[in-house]
Amino acid sequence: PPAPAPVTEHYWEWEGYTIRYQESGTEGPAMVLVHGFGGNADHWRKNTPVLGRKGRVFAIDLLGYGYSSKPNPMSAEPNAIYNFESWSRQLQAFIAQVVGEPAFIMCNSVGGLAGLQAAVDGPSNVRGVVLINPSLRGLHITKQSAIAKPFVKALQKVLRTTDIGQKFFGNVAQAKTVKSILKEAYGNPDTVTDELVEFILAPGLQPGAAEVFLDFISYSSGPLPEDLLPVVPEEVPVRIMWGAADPWELIDQGRAYGLFDSVDRFIELPGVGHCPMDEAPELVNPLLLEFVEDYKAPPQGVRRSGRPGILDFNWVWTLWSASINFYELTRASAMSPSASSAPAALLHPGTPASPERSATYMTPGVIGACLTIVPNATLWYGLSRGRNNLEGIVKTVVRVAGVPGLLAVPFCGMAAEKCFYDSLVSLQGVDPNVQPENRKMEGFPAGGHILPSLSMFPVKHIREYFR
């Protein structure tokens, strides 16, 4: 394999604070790597130089973590400094001022909420988001039982405002404890090395780290993934990877997040824990590059089908079908009841319409136009929600039957439309192949009588089937 790209370390001033970041790669799509709770840019050390061979990669320390500044949160309201909105601002400013172009954001754990918030707040800066075992925030106020709420709040207050919290952090911020916690989180404990422990622990021993830790564990408000995913803008695709052996964020709960319209794929990583990018970089790095490859082209229409499509077939299909339905509706509305309602007049042009039966029958065009609104409305709704399933059908046809098969698709659609129309006509006791004299000059679809009937039913009024 080619040699990893060099990684350099830099510092950037933002809103009066110093932010540490690492950079790799000199050209290609931009990627910003965002760590989780207690992590830092070094948690991506197995990814940054590999991804740097294909693009410009930036691993950043969020405010309060790693070697970035750690302003004292105790002098402000709880969670006023360390929250997802603040980190969203940080990421947006970093992309605008340092990266210099819209970037893909790859996030782990609570970093996923920061990445999603940045996509919602500043979609012009974000080309896509990859969530790797995102935090589901089990201690969020909305997920606590009524009985637990007062106890959780009291415990958070005690930890944040008394010496008990400092002692608690002191017990956590030890190499033995950190290693034990990481081994619990990782699917393969053997991947937890002394080097990893040092990378996580060293910045956690800096002044201010304890206050940041205690402030964040009292953060039970703010957004949840299920709040942000539905409002991610259409032009920002989201992909989720989930280590199936994660004991903290269970994959049985995680699968539900793959059903959101903003998510193009949900990828399970068997045997991997909470930090797949560090535990199994050989799995994660190719998947991250695949995501970049899927969406590195400029946006074109709906982009949530997994890859940007050359042809958005939904629009072609729905516009064509809707125009036919509109024609049917207007043509049927303009027809006189005596000419359109009486089946005898259609079956036998010389036979006068029966006034008694005229009001009993509806024009086939009206029924067809009204009923075909249902599939068209479904397609339009799918487009508005980011679905593009017909594009997948077209690609499958091209793959199986080539260009001739693609050219046959519109004719198959027209045949289906004619089948539907002829069936409605037949169920009203009207022969689709007979055209009365007063309709000789009408075009498609009334002129469909020159083609074989595609009706699925014999010519008989529907009421006669139930006699």
Side-chain angles (χ1 to χ4, degrees):
V7 178
T8 55
E9 186 168 289
H10 307 273
Y11 289 86
W12 164 64
E13 294 297 318
W14 170 69
E15 294 188 0
Y17 304 119
T18 300
I19 304 298
R20 194 265 301 239
Y21 68 95
Q22 296 173 351
E23 182 177 359
S24 183
T26 57
E27 59 182 5
M31 294 167 261
V32 175
L33 313 181
V34 185
H35 60 82
F37 176 59
N40 58 78
D42 291 316
H43 213 174
W44 296 92
R45 70 198 182 284
K46 299 178 183 178
N47 317 100
T48 306
V50 177
L51 301 178
R53 297 198 298 248
K54 299 291 186 178
R56 300 170 59 226
V57 184
F58 303 82
I60 190 172
D61 287 350
L62 293 175
L63 182 69
Y65 292 100
Y67 295 95
S68 289
S69 295
K70 298 170 178 58
N72 188 358
M74 304 306 170
S75 59
E77 291 294 317
N79 316 125
I81 299 175
Y82 302 110
N83 56 63
F84 298 116
E85 290 79 7
S86 295
W87 289 323
S88 167
R89 290 201 328 273
Q90 177 187 345
L91 291 175
Q92 291 180 69
F94 181 77
I95 292 173
Q97 298 175 24
V98 178
V99 180
E101 63 175 307
F104 294 96
I105 301 181
M106 284 83 170
C107 331
N108 175 233
S109 192
V110 297
L113 278 296
L116 284 177
Q117 188 71 60
V120 171
D121 296 341
S124 61
N125 287 321
V126 183
R127 299 183 66 179
V129 178
V130 177
L131 304 177
I132 304 176
N133 289 66
S135 171
L136 303 184
R137 306 197 65 201
L139 286 179
H140 194 274
I141 188 69
T142 61
K143 297 186 177 183
Q144 299 174 22
S145 66
I147 297 176
K149 282 181 182 178
F151 295 100
V152 172
K153 184 175 181 180
L155 178 60
Q156 289 173 332
K157 184 176 182 180
V158 168
L159 291 175
R160 188 177 186 275
T161 59
T162 69
D163 291 341
I164 296 176
Q166 292 288 337
K167 293 177 181 178
F168 173 68
F169 178 78
N171 290 329
V172 172
Q174 297 182 24
K176 182 179 179 180
T177 307
V178 171
K179 193 168 192 175
S180 176
I181 293 172
L182 290 172
K183 283 190 172 185
E184 177 189 340
Y186 280 46
N188 180 7
D190 293 338
T191 57
V192 178
T193 63
D194 292 337
E195 177 193 49
L196 172 62
V197 173
E198 179 64 20
F199 278 133
I200 298 296
L201 181 59
L205 297 177
Q206 289 188 323
E211 287 73 18
V212 175
F213 173 86
L214 296 171
D215 184 67
F216 189 75
I217 63 174
S218 68
Y219 187 26
S220 293
S221 58
L224 292 164
E226 52 265 41
D227 298 329
L228 294 173
L229 284 170
V231 294
V232 172
E234 182 74 29
E235 65 270 21
V236 182
V238 178
R239 188 166 295 176
I240 298 178
M241 303 179 195
W242 211 289
D246 188 345
W248 297 344
E249 308 295 353
L250 303 181
I251 193 168
D252 289 341
Q253 299 175 10
R255 290 189 185 98
Y257 293 84
L259 302 178
F260 282 91
D261 290 332
S262 56
V263 179
D264 73 343
R265 286 175 63 192
F266 182 92
I267 302 172
E268 297 188 19
L269 304 174
V272 184
H274 187 64
C275 305
M277 74 287 183
D278 182 66
E279 182 180 352
E282 71 282 359
L283 296 179
V284 173
N285 288 335
L287 291 173
L288 293 177
L289 292 174
E290 180 185 45
F291 180 74
V292 172
E293 186 68 24
D294 287 347
Y295 294 107
K296 70 179 182 181
Q300 294 182 11
V302 177
R303 298 173 56 193
R304 298 242 170 100
S305 59
R307 297 176 186 270
I310 299 174
L311 172 65
D312 190 350
F313 192 66
N314 291 53
W315 296 107
V316 179
W317 177 276
T318 52
L319 287 173
W320 173 81
S321 187
S323 63
I324 294 300
N325 295 336
F326 178 75
Y327 170 77
E328 277 293 311
L329 188 60
T330 54
R331 179 186 65 77
S333 301
M335 291 170 58
S336 64
S338 62
S340 62
S341 300
L346 295 178
L347 283 169
H348 310 287
T351 305
S354 168
E356 182 181 26
R357 299 183 66 190
S358 292
T360 307
Y361 294 88
M362 288 185 65
T363 302
V366 174
I367 299 175
C370 291
L371 291 184
T372 50
I373 286 174
V374 176
N376 280 294
T378 302
L379 291 175
W380 282 101
Y381 176 78
L383 282 174
S384 70
R385 302 294 292 174
R387 301 290 188 192
N388 199 13
N389 297 327
L390 281 177
E391 182 180 308
I393 295 175
V394 172
K395 289 180 178 179
T396 302
V397 170
V398 172
R399 186 167 57 250
V400 174
V403 176
L406 178 61
L407 296 177
V409 169
F411 295 97
C412 292
M414 287 188 283
E417 189 93 19
K418 178 170 170 54
C419 173
F420 183 71
Y421 178 81
D422 288 354
S423 298
L424 286 173
V425 171
S426 297
L427 287 175
Q428 294 184 88
V430 180
D431 187 349
N433 289 113
V434 174
Q435 187 180 39
E437 291 296 328
N438 64 339
R439 298 173 64 185
K440 289 289 186 183
M441 300 303 294
E442 292 185 7
F444 181 84
H449 69 285
I450 62 176
L451 300 173
S453 172
L454 299 182
S455 174
M456 294 182 290
F457 310 101
V459 179
K460 188 184 344 180
H461 192 272
I462 189 169
R463 291 183 303 177
E464 298 180 25
Y465 284 89
F466 299 99
R467 287 180 179 177

